[in-house]
Amino acid sequence: MDKRFWVVVPAAGSARRMGAAVPKQYLPLAGRTVIEWSLAPFLAHARTVAIVVVLAEQDQRWPQIAIAGDAKIATAIGGAERMDSVLAGLRALQDRAAPDDWVLVHDAARPCLSAGDLDRLLNELSNDDVGGLLAAPVVDTLKRADDGGRVLQTVPREKLWRALTPQMFRRDLLQRALQSAQAKGLAVTDEAQAIEALGLQPKLVAGDSDNVKITLPEDLPRAERILISRSAT
Ligand SMILES: Nc1ccn([C@@H]2O[C@H](COP(=O)(O)OP(=O)(O)OP(=O)(O)O)[C@@H](O)[C@H]2O)c(=O)n1
Ligand SMILES: C[C@](O)(CO)[C@H](O)COP(=O)(O)O
């Protein structure tokens, strides 16, 4: 894709499930911090126009990050939910990005995005009318539990995918979709869900299952192994 694109990186979460003293986006990982790895593919891409990193209001760590001064990075203040933070990032772009410019939204907690997956997303969606997201097909058998932690049913996994990020939509459409979801009290957990609520069908683009989200303590050593093995090749 030859068109340039904008990036919003929601980094305003409180990382409750990680249970660390430091918000997970600032935890050390393979010689850097999680957020530096998550931003790296976009800072390295020739067609990134600018990146808005959306921070928690009380965040005091971002200014200490080496790349905080990068000319391509601006910051905004996030909100109570991820969707509020993404909206804040889009609003920070609205005077600079044209309505039909592509915006990629990528979790600060996903440090293992590969350059190949980023380019595949950009190339597969460059002429798409709706936009879409990186996703990984479900390969395990899925069980739904009852309140007692026992199997209630096996959930058919055909055509089931795990949503990843980046998720890529045109700025005005995404902003309208998220504003509409917010107005309806629809607590969307990713950008695609807000687009779906408009009756549109985002395209699924196969992504690497190594594109892990740092959520629980065991995710950090897994990400470390992925990044170190990738740098060794
Ligand atoms: N109000 C929020 C909540 C989440 N995020 C960001 O959205 C991404 C994915 O969210 P998640 O993994 O759930 O992060 P947390 O909300 O911090 O984790 P937890 O649910 O365990 O508290 C993270 O980069 C997080 O910083 C955000 O910008 N604003
Ligand atoms: C956006 C996302 O990473 C796609 O899987 C996921 O929905 C984020 O969920 P979280 O609970 O905010 O981590």
Side-chain angles (χ1 to χ4, degrees), residues 17 82 107 110 163-165 167 189-190 213:
R17 289 170 286 181
R82 183 181 177 282
D107 294 329
R110 287 188 187 268
L164 306 171
T165 68
Q167 304 200 3
T189 55
D190 72 346
K213 183 163 66 75

Side-chain angles (χ1 to χ4, degrees), residues 113-133:
L113 171 66
S114 69
D117 269 18
L118 176 55
D119 277 332
R120 185 176 321 107
L121 183 75
L122 293 167
N123 294 333
E124 289 213 18
L125 296 179
S126 59
N127 297 312
D128 195 273
D129 291 337
V130 174
L133 63 150

